[in-house]
Structures are given as structure tokens and as C-alpha cells.
Amino acid sequence: MTQCCVLPAARNGQFFGRENTLAVIDDVLQPGKELAAIRSLAIYGPPGVGKTQTALEYAYRKQAELDAILWLSADNTLALQQGFTEIAVHGLKMENAESRSHQENKLLVVAWLQRTCAKWLMIFDDVQNHQILETCLRATDHGAILVTTRQSVVAITAAEQSVPITDFAIENSTKFILHLLQQPKGTPQEQLAAQELSSLLHGYPLTISLLTAFINAHNLPVEDFLSTHMRYPANLYRKQEESWEHIGYRDAHDTVWNVSFRTLDPLARACLCILSFYAPHSIPTALLPPKESVGLPVFCKEGVSCGDAIEQLTCHALVKYHRISQQISLHRVVQGQCHSKATPVEYQEGFDVAVKLLLDKFPDRGSLVFMASSWEDGAKYIGHIVSVADNWRASQNHPIPLKPTVEFCHLVADCAWFVHDNDTAGILSLLMDAGCHAYYKLPDAAKQPILEADILLLLCIQDLRAEGDFDSAHYRAMKSLAIREKLGQPQQLQISSCYHHLAIALDSMGWHDEARSWLSKAREILESHNDELHIRLLCHNNLHFSRNLFSVGDFDGAEKKLDQAMILASGLGDSCTLASIHQTKADLYLRWEKLAEAIDHIYRAGQLLKGSADVPSVSWLSGIVSYRFSCICVKQNGAVLAIWEAKNALAIARLCHMPLGMRARFQHLLMKAYLIEPDRYEKEANQARGQAQWLRSLLPSGKTNLSDESDQAFDMLVDISLR
């Protein structure tokens, strides 16, 4: 096979030491040998001690021996999912990989690991929770996995063996300083000064790198730097209570950070403050404004480009610039220290510009219709938007919190709409929480009715999908619609979207006649144009219309609507929508007692969702298809297949972060599948029942009646489009 190497950065030419650690890693993993077993090792230690750089150096040393080296940033679910997509689409170049299908891409990569005879090494960097690795570590019987983490408990749990990485001893840290000097003199005075400096820094690699970079940038002898900047050793560090930005440290090296930050020119300082709000890995340089951009902070010098700023930050070892990938990365410790050292004005302006730069690049929600073709344009920025939103939320507990801006609210709304039907990482709630709180904190003069209407509609969608709160969804959709109608602006597609979600809320509560009137209003708008967007939405209108009709027993009418939807979706060549239509037809025929037709259509839905590599689709829709298949099997008293499909639905629900109500409903179905053969599966049925009740108990008070375990009670946990 062609060698595949997916690594986040070029080799670090200034890497130093860690030979003993590298030897232990190689002795445990032995990735170049053909061993019939999977080997895993975790290296752990505090931030800035060199875990990532050690893993990167090991990867490059083994490059010639291996067929594949695959790197995954694993500090959060979104980053991990995007990493699997990068490997599947651009690394292994898998035929069935698609940029927006994160879970499918993960399965494709795991399937490849299981089947390949290649020698491979997979690296999970900065793991925060061992649970996100479970499906990967146990997926194959050969290969090598290297984990880096800050937490010893994660290291012990995530891998078979673990080894700590600590600060350098004084002798090695002295050598490290001399190794980093660009113009070493080799004098005894320099040796003694380096030794004193390493002692003051306690051998902490990140601060050594920062101070040595400062020395190099200013062409200072080490002894002069020591006498000028470190005249008062007692001020080099001061004890601080552990907090979110100092976890794992004995001391906070205030002098080090002050030296690094205070010598930056205004543009470099501003640029660092902007970057500190983004996800620290893989920041595209395309985000940064050109020299003539009006989006730069007011305290930037004229005539200096962002390229100059990045060069200065690189010289000071505060960021790393990867020329091949055109990306920037920086350490989380640098981000945290930047926030703590920035003035309130710098902090706010850095946030404002970070938002504006993302807003300029990210696809806007426009007509509130998301087309799959734009996924790649926006996907690379999602992690950075989430990071900005997370920073804003965290700042609200600070003495001087970040002020919200209308641009921030627009950015969050754009991203929420972008992911709302493909939220496999569960970020919609975070985005809407930040966006909603930010909007209502805006000064009245800054509030925009259209923006408020969009936020309300997104909150309605969240109520329907994630919360199962149909009353709230109805209220918010009505309020969004009232704002739009009051404005009197031409927003027909947005208004039809309000009609559509109003109908879903009403149908979910059993108000089918009123829901049907809203669906008819939406239909009038959608039938007025013949472009792809209107056709696509009309197809979904037919889908929901059919559910409305068979909910009141009009099976013939429902069948006609689904036939119309099928014609429209076939014309679009949309396999996902076709699969949705087939599973809805299966539901219709199941209620209509036409089991042969139900089986035929659920099989077709499954085939449409299955790739040619026989890797099943992992999405909300595929989970619903498995659920529907199990329902049919329960109706036929086929225990084995009913249990299998119900378990598939539950597995997909966990992978896709489906809401508690949906998972409870799937557990209830699994219980029914076990009860087909109660003598054989009594214990399993009781366990499934207990799980279903436990999941219901986690729902908000008043959401469900635990004493009612009927099918209808579980149906009411999800909206009509998912029943």
C-alpha cells in the first residue's frame, strides 16, 4: 500500500532529550514488528512538559518502518471526529468517506485497522476522557496506539501501560538551553548562566523554550539576560492557588510570561490575543486579515502585516507556524496566560476581532436552508467557533466579563444552523446557550429583530430534537413567526420554515388538524418556485404531511404524499432523503398492518444508507431505521433480529449523542424485543426496562410520568418526525 502519514506538524528540529522515554515507547509498542496483538502506551504529565512533542518525534523516527501513522487530536469529541474524517478523506483517501459524515468515517477507519495487514501507529493526543477511546482501542487485534494525556488516571485507564514525563533535571535543562541557543559562545560564563537559569525555571520545558526564544530574538548573551531580566530571583515565580489555567503546576512563572508578552509590538500582541480565542490546533492562516483589513484592532501599528506578527510570535516560541498546511498552533498554556496578561481592552478587542474574522469566513445561514455542498467550506471553522463561544461563556464568571456583540450572536446562530441536522458531537446546546444569553445581554439599540427571530427558531428546533419540549417549541416558533410577519420583509422561505416547525410541535402534542393547516400554508410557499431549494423543502413537507395523515388514520392520503416525496427526491438524486422516505413508508405500512410492504421499504432504506464497503451509516436517520426494523421484527415475533436491530439503534444513539428521550424509547423497544421470548430473556428484559426508566428519570421534572410505561408514553418523549 501507499504510505499514509497524517501528522499535525513538521518535525521539530529543536527537539531535545527524552531518549529514555522514546526507548520505553518503542520497547512497548514495537510498531514495526508483525505481532498478533494490539499494544498501547500512554505518556502523561502536566501541560507544557513536552508530551505532544515527544509523541511527534517518535512518529517521525518510525516513519520509514511503518505503512501508516495516524494522528488524532482527542481533547474533545468534535476534534476527535474531525480527526477521523481527515484520516479517512485525505489520509487514507477512502472511496466512501465524505467530509460531513464523521461517524461513518470513524467506522471506515476502524474497519480498515481491523482488516489491513499494514503496520500502523495511531496517536491520540491530549486525551481528556478515556471513554472516547474505548471503541478505538478495542477495535482490532494488531497495531500500536500511543496516547498523550495530562491525567495519570486517564493514562492508566486508556492504555495497557503508562509512563510519566516530568520536568528536566537541572543538568538536562541546562543542556536544553544551550541546545536552543542560535549563537552559543561555549564559554564557562555562558554555561554557568544557563545552569542558573535552568535552576530558576525548575527545568520546565515550555518556559525554557519561551525564554530562550526571547534571548535568540534579541540576540542577548544568556548571562546578560539573566542579570537584566532575572535580577531578582524571588520574583521569578510566585505560588498561586490551582485554577483552570494552572492545573498541574507547582508555580506560575510570572516573570517568564511578562518577559514574553511585554516585548511584543502591538500588532503581535493583538494577533496573539485573537488566536487565544480559537481552538489551539490547526488555526488556518486564511482566517487572519490581510494588511489592509479594516478588522484589525485599533492599537495595531500601521504598515505592519499579520505575517510580520506571526513571524514575531514564532520567534518568541509563542506560536508555531506550519508552512505546508498553512496553519498555526499554540499551546493551551500560552492561551490561558495570554488571557490573564491581556488588559481588559485587549481582551475584549481580541474577542471582537476573533468573531469578525470567523464571521467573514463561515457560511451564513442566509435563507435558513443548509446545502450539503457547503459543508467543507464551514467544517474547518466549527471547532474555532465552539472555542470562541466557550470562552465567552467562561468569561461571564470573571470580574470583567466579555461583552456580547451582535456579530457574536450572528456567528453562533450561523454555526448552530450549520450543525443542527448533523450534530454528532453534541455542540448545539452549547452554541444556543451562548447565543441566547449573549443576545439578551445586548443593548436594546443593538438588537436586531431578524436575528432574534432566527435564534427563536433555532431554540424551537432544539426544543423539538434535544429537549422534547413541544409546548416551548410551539411558543418559540409562534414568536419567531410573529416577528417576521411584523417586519413585513420578503422572507418566504424563513416563514415556511416557521410553519413547518410549528406543525411538528403541534403534531407532536396531538393537535393534528391545526398542524395540517400550517403544513398547507408552508406548501403554498414551496410550490410557488421550482428551484432545487424549494423542491428539497417541498419533499420534506410531503414527508411530514404523510405523518400527520397517518397519525389520524388516513393511510391512503399518507401513501400519496410519500409517493410525491419519492418522485421529488429521486429527481434530486438525494439518497439520504430517499432513505428517510422509505423508513417513513415502513412506519406507515407497519401501522396499516401491511408487514410485507413495511419489510421491503425498511430494507431499501438500509441499503441506501449502507456504503459499498459494507460499513453501516451512523446518523440519526440510520438509528431510526434500525429502530423501525426492530419494531417490524417485534410485530412478527422475531426475537433475534428484533434484539439485534434495537441494540444497533442504541449504539448509534450513543455515538451520535442522541437525546435522553430517544435513547429511553430505544431501550423500551429492546425490552419489548426481549419479551418476545420471556423465558429465555427475562433477565435481559428487566435490565432494558431498568435502563429505560433510568434514562427517563434523568429528564426534567414533569417531562414524563415514570409510572406510565406504555408505548405512547415513550412516543411522547420524541417529536412526531422521529416517532
Side-chain angles (χ1 to χ4, degrees):
M1 61 165 283
T2 303
Q3 189 182 64
C4 170
C5 187
V6 180
L7 292 172
R11 191 170 189 173
N12 182 359
Q14 294 184 317
F15 181 83
F16 173 82
R18 306 299 188 196
E19 293 300 329
N20 289 339
T21 302
L22 290 166
V24 171
I25 294 172
D26 198 48
D27 185 57
V28 172
L29 297 184
Q30 303 182 52
K33 295 184 179 180
E34 295 182 1
L35 301 177
I38 186 167
R39 286 90 56 205
S40 60
L41 175 82
I43 54 177
Y44 64 94
V49 80
K51 303 180 296 295
T52 297
Q53 290 302 313
T54 300
L56 189 64
E57 174 65 17
Y58 181 73
Y60 275 107
R61 290 190 183 188
K62 305 305 292 184
Q63 195 172 11
E65 300 178 30
L66 303 177
D67 301 304
I69 301 176
L70 311 174
W71 185 286
L72 290 155
S73 294
D75 54 331
N76 60 68
T77 301
L78 178 62
L80 186 64
Q81 289 183 356
Q82 290 179 329
F84 274 111
T85 291
E86 174 68 18
I87 290 170
V89 175
H90 301 293
L92 296 172
K93 296 181 172 59
M94 308 184 92
E95 181 181 353
N96 302 297
E98 296 182 2
S99 60
R100 71 174 302 198
S101 303
H102 293 319
Q103 294 293 0
E104 288 91 333
N105 293 334
K106 175 182 175 180
L107 287 182
L108 284 169
V109 173
V110 170
W112 181 85
L113 295 175
Q114 291 173 328
R115 298 170 183 173
T116 186
C117 296
K119 300 173 184 176
W120 57 264
L121 166 67
M122 180 171 277
I123 300 168
F124 293 89
D125 184 40
D126 198 15
V127 175
Q128 304 296 316
N129 187 332
H130 71 90
Q131 292 178 341
I132 65 176
L133 299 183
E134 287 182 354
T135 56
C136 307
L137 289 170
R138 298 169 185 170
T140 180
D141 58 2
H142 71 285
I145 294 176
L146 178 60
V147 173
T148 77
T149 180
R150 304 178 191 181
Q151 304 171 45
S152 59
V153 65
V154 173
I156 294 169
T157 311
E160 295 172 334
Q161 297 189 47
S162 59
V163 59
I165 292 188
T166 60
D167 297 336
F168 284 126
I170 298 302
E171 181 181 355
N172 282 334
S173 61
T174 301
K175 292 178 181 178
F176 185 34
I177 292 172
L178 297 173
H179 170 76
L180 292 175
L181 292 177
Q182 291 180 350
Q183 296 179 339
K185 295 184 293 183
T187 63
Q189 292 85 352
E190 183 181 64
Q191 175 78 24
L192 288 172
Q195 185 173 342
E196 184 178 353
L197 183 60
S198 66
S199 178
L200 291 170
L201 297 178
H202 296 284
Y204 181 45
L206 181 58
T207 50
I208 289 174
S209 297
L210 290 171
L211 282 193
T212 311
F214 177 88
I215 290 169
N216 289 330
H218 295 272
N219 198 25
L220 291 171
V222 180
E223 51 270 33
D224 288 357
F225 170 82
L226 194 64
S227 62
T228 302
H229 295 278
M230 301 294 186
R231 188 174 299 163
Y232 306 104
N235 293 333
L236 178 62
Y237 62 89
R238 61 183 173 87
K239 299 284 185 181
Q240 290 194 2
E241 294 181 3
E242 289 200 346
S243 66
W244 66 272
E245 58 182 331
H246 295 293
I247 292 174
Y249 293 100
R250 296 185 305 271
D251 312 298
H253 293 66
D254 284 342
T255 299
V256 174
W257 301 107
N258 287 334
V259 167
S260 295
F261 293 148
R262 74 171 180 241
T263 55
L264 297 174
D265 68 33
L267 180 61
R269 191 178 174 100
C271 191
L272 182 62
C273 200
I274 294 166
L275 296 174
S276 70
F277 285 98
Y278 296 146
H281 310 296
S282 307
I283 302 171
T285 55
L287 260 180
L288 298 178
K291 179 177 177 179
E292 65 275 9
S293 172
V294 296
L296 290 174
V298 296
F299 50 83
C300 294
K301 288 183 178 179
E302 295 182 1
V304 182
S305 70
C306 279
D308 297 327
I310 295 301
E311 184 175 353
Q312 187 178 157
L313 294 173
T314 303
C315 287
H316 283 74
L318 292 165
V319 307
K320 292 183 179 180
Y321 172 49
H322 312 294
R323 296 187 183 277
I324 296 176
S325 63
Q326 292 291 291
Q327 293 178 339
I328 299 164
S329 63
L330 65 163
H331 203 286
R332 289 188 184 277
V333 175
V334 174
Q335 287 186 309
Q337 287 291 339
C338 179
H339 287 175
S340 68
K341 301 299 179 186
T343 66
V345 172
E346 290 174 331
Y347 188 49
Q348 183 67 50
E349 289 193 333
F351 169 78
D352 292 345
V353 176
V355 167
K356 289 176 182 176
L357 296 177
L358 280 168
L359 193 61
D360 181 58
K361 296 292 183 182
F362 196 74
D364 62 51
R365 59 198 180 280
S367 61
L368 288 181
V369 177
F370 168 64
M371 302 296 290
S373 58
S374 64
W375 180 261
E376 284 200 40
D377 295 337
K380 59 188 172 185
Y381 299 116
I382 293 175
H384 301 300
I385 296 173
V386 170
S387 179
V388 169
D390 219 11
N391 273 289
W392 185 85
R393 287 203 315 172
S395 79
Q396 300 310 293
N397 297 319
H398 297 173
I400 305 178
L402 288 167
K403 298 175 184 176
T405 64
V406 70
E407 290 86 1
F408 174 62
C409 296
H410 275 294
L411 178 65
V412 169
D414 287 344
C415 191
W417 183 260
F418 191 87
V419 304
H420 82 271
D421 66 343
N422 192 32
D423 184 25
T424 56
I427 62 174
L428 180 61
S429 294
L430 180 153
L431 292 168
M432 291 314 303
D433 178 70
C436 189
H437 282 86
Y439 181 79
Y440 290 111
K441 284 189 174 185
L442 287 174
D444 288 341
K447 291 179 179 176
Q448 300 175 354
I450 284 293
L451 174 58
E452 183 176 3
D454 289 351
I455 289 174
L456 284 166
L457 185 57
L458 284 162
L459 287 170
C460 163
I461 294 171
Q462 183 183 3
D463 284 339
L464 291 171
R465 285 295 182 93
E467 309 297 336
D469 190 340
F470 312 130
D471 285 319
S472 177
H474 176 254
Y475 169 77
R476 284 167 163 165
M478 286 296 292
K479 193 172 179 181
S480 177
L481 179 61
I483 292 172
R484 296 180 197 282
E485 290 179 338
K486 184 178 179 181
L487 290 172
Q489 297 176 4
Q491 302 172 28
Q492 292 303 298
L493 277 176
Q494 293 95 325
I495 288 174
S496 74
S497 187
C498 287
Y499 292 161
H500 176 77
H501 289 96
L502 266 172
I504 292 178
L506 291 165
D507 261 330
S508 299
M509 293 186 287
W511 301 348
H512 301 300
D513 291 342
E514 190 177 346
R516 200 174 308 121
S517 69
W518 290 113
L519 286 169
S520 297
K521 287 184 177 183
R523 192 175 189 84
E524 290 177 11
I525 294 173
L526 299 176
E527 288 180 334
S528 65
H529 293 78
N530 198 36
D531 59 85
E532 183 180 347
L533 292 183
H534 285 76
I535 293 172
R536 196 175 290 273
L537 291 174
L538 183 58
C539 184
H540 287 281
N541 180 273
N542 279 316
L543 258 176
H544 188 68
F545 226 126
S546 71
R547 287 198 168 277
N548 173 279
L549 292 172
F550 69 60
S551 294
V552 296
D554 185 356
F555 298 141
D556 288 310
E559 186 178 43
K560 289 177 182 177
K561 292 295 183 186
L562 287 173
D563 288 339
Q564 292 173 17
M566 189 77 72
I567 293 170
L568 293 172
S570 298
L572 294 171
D574 187 342
S575 60
C576 185
T577 302
L578 283 169
S580 183
I581 295 168
H582 281 298
Q583 83 83 18
T584 306
K585 276 201 165 189
D587 190 16
L588 166 64
Y589 291 128
L590 181 62
R591 295 166 186 255
W592 207 350
E593 300 289 341
K594 295 185 176 183
L595 293 186
E597 288 88 342
I599 292 170
D600 177 57
H601 283 283
I602 204 64
Y603 176 78
R604 293 188 190 186
Q607 289 299 109
L608 283 165
L609 292 175
K610 186 184 292 184
S612 60
D614 291 329
V615 176
S617 169
V618 181
S619 62
W620 279 49
L621 178 55
S622 60
I624 295 166
V625 167
S626 286
Y627 172 85
R628 196 73 61 210
F629 201 165
S630 181
C631 288
I632 295 170
C633 295
V634 168
K635 194 77 171 180
Q636 292 182 312
N637 291 319
V640 174
L641 198 51
I643 293 168
W644 174 267
E645 290 297 339
K647 285 183 174 180
N648 278 346
L650 280 165
I652 293 170
R654 286 190 291 269
L655 282 171
C656 292
H657 298 272
M658 290 186 184
L660 292 173
M662 185 172 286
R663 290 166 58 188
R665 188 167 178 249
F666 290 179
Q667 282 285 358
H668 177 68
L669 176 63
L670 179 59
M671 179 200 72
K672 291 173 63 178
Y674 282 130
L675 288 177
I676 295 171
E677 297 183 17
D679 293 339
R680 182 178 179 185
Y681 294 116
E682 181 181 4
K683 180 181 177 182
E684 290 84 352
N686 287 332
Q687 289 174 341
R689 176 179 177 270
Q691 279 291 309
Q693 290 293 81
W694 175 71
L695 288 167
R696 291 172 79 194
S697 72
L698 299 177
L699 295 169
S701 178
K703 178 69 178 66
T704 185
N705 179 7
L706 290 176
S707 63
D708 183 357
E709 297 184 56
S710 65
D711 291 349
Q712 184 179 8
F714 281 91
D715 285 348
M716 291 302 292
L717 299 178
V718 300
D719 74 68
I720 189 74
S721 67
L722 303 173
R723 289 181 189 166

